[in-house]
Amino acid sequence: MSRIRINSFAGMVPRITSRHLDDNQAQVATNCQLTSGALRPWRDKKQVATLAKTVRVNSLYLFGNGGANERWLHWNEDVDVVRGPIAGDTTERTYFTGTGAPRVTNNAMVDVGGNDQYPEDSYILGIPPSGVAPTAALVGTGAGAVYSRAYVFTLIGEFGEEGMPSPVSSILAWQSGHTVDLTNLGKAVTLTRSGSTVTAVSTAHGYATNDRIAHGGANEKAYSGVHAITVVDANTYTYQITETPATPATGTIAGIKVAATTTTGKRNVTKKRIYRVATSVTGAAYLYVAEINIGVVTYNDAIADSALKEVLPSTTWAEPPAGLKGIVLLPNGVMAGFVGNELYMTPPFLPYAWPSAYKQTINGMVALSYIGNTIIVLTATIPYLVNAQDPAQASIYSRENDPYPCVSKRSVVRTENGILYASNYGIVAGSTAGFRKITDAFLTKTEWEGYYPGTIHAYFYGGRYVAFYTKGLVSGLEDGAGFVFDPNNPIATWTTLDQYAYAGFQDEQAGDLYLSFWSGAVNYVYQWNADGTNLSATWKSKLFQDNHPVCFQAARLHFKATMSASEQAAYNAQRAAQIAANAAVLASINTMRGPTGTVELGAADVPLAYVNFVDVLPATAASDGAIFKYYANGDMKHQQTIYDNKPFRMPGGYTAYESEFEIIGKATITEAELATTMSELAR
């Protein structure tokens, strides 16, 4: 006699036909968390935030995790975010790319009391150099040996970041007794605003329309930044801002001309540092002389050579390129990003400095990741490894024997063993030891294409690759779904999800996954697999075949309680309270004569239709049940909702060579059995 028994539920193997699956493998496994062998649904998601932006959000980041400054940063663009590697930083300096020029924010800027579209404020990353040299002139009478002196100065940002030096001043023949007057360290400016137009008055400024001018020193930071100006006359020019600071601007303000290629936008340059070379320009080091506020535009140098301090450190500290994207932060403090076919890196722990000498050329870059201090560069053809232990001496290794292109930047996740990402052949696992496809046993290229790999964005949650993909738009919303792949668990293998998330954030501190969902008008953030109730899972068995016709007439599902003892007690108490409330309502009715409308009512009679009864929960929670469906030769022969472990009968009167069954619901099922008779089932 035939019998089917499943006591360890496994996932799908899409590449294998339904009849050739192992007995415990599934044709369909949706919303199933199969890590224990039981058929257990994922928990439902729990809403934790509503985002301010109404256009769909594609990037999500939890700033100030667990602290008073906790905010959900969100963008409509594909944005990469890293926490700054700054020793002693208490402001949670955070860097991001993907919105144009690379930017930095912190807990003072992320929420300035604006529109809740976090981050509400940020600065363009990097400090530009002055485009003009300081003017140096000897003062007083000198005597004795003659020494060459020349000067440069650098700009300093609000966070202490230092830019590249200015052009070099003229060389002076200095003697003992001389001091040096430095001028042209910027030009004094007064600023007023009308609407979005700022009018700057700076005597004999010498600028031309479209020059880039760095402004700093205003107490109202909104005036600060690099701006493309429009010249009005020899003493006046204008520029545009988007904020509405008080007018006139207060403070000691200066404007400094920078290179025409400098990215315009908000920055806060607060100081200048002056350096001098004391012997000769060729081959000599520039040493620190003094630091002055940005609004101070002259300086008299009377510092003795013996009092000079450190060597100018920022000779090569260029700003990052405006289109930099894909940033990652390595454990050694090196940050990396790319533009086109150029890979950029920073010196350790200097996220604002991007020396052009560190650039590496790699064609077809799609995404970056890292393992230790090795940058993983994924391209449209093959992966590359870049050893960035010392970014000044970085070396590139191409993985020519691993022809696995990356087809989706957002599909890349880091794991305890390396990285995972979507290629056009399936999911690829990569490490410094090599790259390999890991889904060949489950999917052919044809099945894989059904998951639209070019649209995948993924997260690593609980040791699993949790991914979402979309087929396109339907009524303005993504027609998408998801899948979960466990590379280390032969039971779970491959399962699907019936929901689509637009973006996500993996909280590595707590191990939680947060996803954003868009309604077409509102973006919500949910913690995934977190709510007290389960999702509805669907698991459909393989196609079982018999050599002779059979008729299954008995079945049983083995249940595991969906609710904990405390949850069940609360449920029962709620149900008892509802019953008591209805009893009180009935007791308050003076007269009740049968069903409404069948008896003429008196003045004191109350029709049942007007009695405000409380809805009573069912004796068994709906989430504790499961719908069981049985198919014979492809036709559904029986459907029943099951609430307990008791065997149940199915109708006979037919025979079949092929059998399948399906379980749908929120309950946890530990075993499923089918037999031709109840007595056989009991064996």
Side-chain angles (χ1 to χ4, degrees):
M1 304 292 284
S2 295
R3 182 174 179 174
I4 296 172
R5 183 186 181 203
I6 307 297
N7 58 11
S8 179
F9 293 86
M12 303 161 59
V13 186
R15 72 172 297 151
I16 298 178
T17 61
S18 59
R19 67 185 58 196
H20 292 120
L21 293 169
D22 291 344
D23 285 357
N24 66 336
Q25 290 174 339
Q27 296 183 62
V28 176
T30 301
N31 298 337
C32 300
Q33 188 177 186
L34 302 176
T35 53
S36 65
L39 172 53
R40 179 161 58 100
W42 290 103
R43 291 281 193 175
D44 205 352
K45 56 187 183 292
K46 179 176 70 175
Q47 185 178 339
V48 297
T50 300
L51 303 178
K53 291 180 180 175
T54 56
V55 179
R56 67 179 184 180
V57 163
N58 286 314
S59 300
L60 196 64
Y61 178 82
L62 183 58
F63 180 93
N65 193 347
N69 294 302
E70 183 173 286
R71 300 290 186 275
W72 280 105
L73 310 192
H74 55 288
W75 298 268
N76 304 125
E77 303 89 347
D78 174 18
V79 172
D80 295 284
V81 190
V82 297
R83 170 78 180 269
I86 310 299
D89 173 38
T90 60
T91 69
E92 195 167 339
R93 224 171 293 165
T94 299
Y95 300 81
F96 58 95
T97 61
T99 62
R103 306 190 75 92
V104 56
T105 190
N106 69 357
N107 59 19
M109 291 190 290
V110 72
D111 182 1
V112 293
N115 54 17
D116 296 342
Q117 296 190 13
Y118 309 121
E120 293 182 345
D121 200 6
S122 61
Y123 294 145
I124 290 177
L125 179 61
I127 304 297
S130 168
V132 295
T135 298
L138 294 173
V139 178
T141 302
V146 176
Y147 297 92
S148 296
R149 278 197 179 176
Y151 291 84
V152 296
F153 70 98
T154 62
L155 304 183
I156 308 297
E158 177 181 338
F159 304 140
E161 318 102 304
E162 186 166 13
M164 292 175 67
S166 67
V168 182
S169 72
S170 59
I171 301 173
L172 302 178
W174 181 89
Q175 294 175 288
S176 178
H178 282 141
T179 63
V180 178
D181 272 349
L182 295 175
T183 57
N184 207 29
L185 300 174
K187 295 183 180 294
V189 183
T190 61
L191 303 175
T192 57
R193 179 187 59 81
S194 177
S196 61
T197 299
V198 177
T199 298
V201 176
S202 181
T203 303
H205 55 67
Y207 302 145
T209 293
N210 292 325
D211 279 352
R212 264 51 169 182
I213 308 299
H215 296 94
N219 295 325
E220 302 81 9
K221 293 181 182 180
Y223 286 105
S224 300
V226 175
H227 305 97
I229 66 166
T230 299
V231 170
V232 177
D233 56 40
N235 302 311
T236 311
Y237 59 89
T238 63
Y239 62 88
Q240 303 296 310
I241 61 175
T242 58
E243 297 174 79
T244 57
T247 183
T250 60
T252 304
I253 308 167
I256 299 172
K257 185 177 178 180
V258 296
T261 56
T262 303
T263 303
T264 59
K266 189 170 183 179
R267 310 176 192 228
N268 193 26
V269 178
T270 60
K271 297 180 184 299
K272 289 174 283 206
R273 287 182 189 155
I274 298 169
Y275 296 84
R276 82 171 189 233
V277 63
T279 52
S280 68
V281 174
T282 304
Y286 285 87
L287 303 180
Y288 174 89
V289 175
E291 183 175 274
I292 59 178
N293 287 332
I294 189 68
V296 177
V297 295
T298 63
Y299 180 78
N300 178 260
D301 175 23
I303 304 295
D305 284 356
S306 60
L308 296 176
K309 297 182 180 179
E310 67 269 14
V311 174
L312 169 69
S314 61
T315 302
T316 64
W317 291 0
E319 299 178 273
L324 190 78
K325 62 182 179 180
I327 55 168
V328 294
L329 177 64
L330 277 57
N332 65 351
V334 171
M335 196 178 288
F338 68 97
V339 178
N341 66 350
E342 293 183 322
L343 175 69
Y344 287 78
M345 292 170 282
T346 71
F349 307 106
L350 295 173
Y352 53 86
W354 299 78
S356 59
Y358 291 5
K359 284 193 301 185
Q360 300 285 346
T361 300
I362 300 174
N363 289 326
M365 283 187 282
V366 174
L368 304 182
S369 189
Y370 66 94
I371 301 171
N373 294 322
T374 297
I375 302 169
I376 309 297
V377 181
L378 302 175
T379 77
T381 53
I382 62 173
Y384 291 79
L385 305 179
V386 179
N387 184 338
Q389 183 70 39
D390 177 3
Q393 304 291 329
S395 53
I396 300 178
Y397 304 91
S398 64
R399 302 296 305 188
E400 296 180 357
N401 295 325
D402 298 325
Y404 305 126
C406 177
V407 297
S408 172
K409 174 178 173 291
R410 299 175 71 199
S411 73
V412 183
V413 302
R414 296 185 64 249
T415 77
E416 65 271 20
N417 298 315
I419 67 168
L420 301 174
Y421 66 93
S423 77
N424 51 7
Y425 303 108
I427 298 175
V428 172
S431 70
T432 53
F435 294 73
R436 60 189 177 88
K437 293 180 290 181
I438 59 173
T439 50
D440 278 356
F442 311 108
L443 305 114
T444 65
K445 190 173 185 294
T446 299
E447 281 95 28
W448 175 239
E449 288 171 350
Y451 293 97
Y452 297 81
T455 72
I456 287 174
H457 62 99
Y459 312 90
F460 197 62
Y461 172 74
R464 306 171 186 87
Y465 187 83
V466 180
F468 300 90
Y469 64 93
T470 176
K471 304 173 186 178
L473 295 176
V474 175
S475 300
L477 297 174
E478 297 290 355
D479 178 19
F483 64 84
V484 180
F485 175 66
D486 189 337
N488 301 310
N489 190 327
I491 295 175
T493 56
W494 192 274
T495 59
T496 60
L497 301 171
D498 63 3
Q499 54 190 251
Y500 178 78
Y502 285 79
F505 171 76
Q506 175 65 54
D507 180 0
E508 295 183 356
Q509 287 182 216
D512 296 326
L513 174 61
Y514 296 91
L515 301 171
S516 70
F517 294 81
W518 185 49
S519 69
V522 182
N523 291 283
Y524 301 96
V525 179
Y526 290 86
Q527 183 181 345
W528 196 60
N529 191 39
D531 199 29
T533 60
N534 288 345
L535 294 174
S536 180
T538 299
W539 192 91
K540 187 174 183 179
S541 74
K542 69 168 287 183
L543 180 67
F544 292 92
Q545 290 184 298
D546 276 281
N547 294 326
H548 55 275
V550 297
C551 180
F552 288 109
Q553 297 183 69
R556 178 168 57 185
L557 300 182
H558 295 254
F559 274 73
K560 183 178 180 181
T562 302
M563 293 189 289
S564 66
S566 60
E567 290 172 334
Q568 187 67 59
Y571 183 91
N572 293 340
Q574 183 180 3
R575 184 172 185 273
Q578 291 166 342
I579 293 172
N582 286 338
V585 171
L586 286 172
S588 69
I589 298 174
N590 295 327
T591 306
M592 184 168 57
R593 298 188 183 180
T596 303
T598 61
V599 178
E600 185 177 349
L601 299 176
D605 292 336
V606 180
L608 285 177
Y610 291 93
V611 177
N612 189 21
F613 288 114
V614 176
D615 291 333
V616 177
L617 293 170
T620 304
S623 62
D624 276 348
I627 298 171
F628 176 85
K629 297 181 180 181
Y630 170 70
Y631 301 85
N633 292 338
D635 296 325
M636 189 173 71
K637 296 296 185 181
H638 183 65
Q639 176 176 324
Q640 183 174 340
T641 301
I642 311 300
Y643 290 103
D644 53 39
N645 293 333
K646 297 177 181 178
F648 56 91
R649 296 185 182 276
M650 297 191 294
Y654 65 89
T655 58
Y657 287 94
E658 297 179 339
S659 296
E660 305 160 275
F661 68 91
E662 188 173 24
I663 301 171
I664 303 170
K666 300 182 179 182
T668 297
I669 310 299
T670 57
E671 187 173 337
E673 296 179 280
L674 284 74
T676 56
T677 65
M678 294 293 281
S679 59
E680 182 186 12
L681 190 67
R683 293 176 185 173

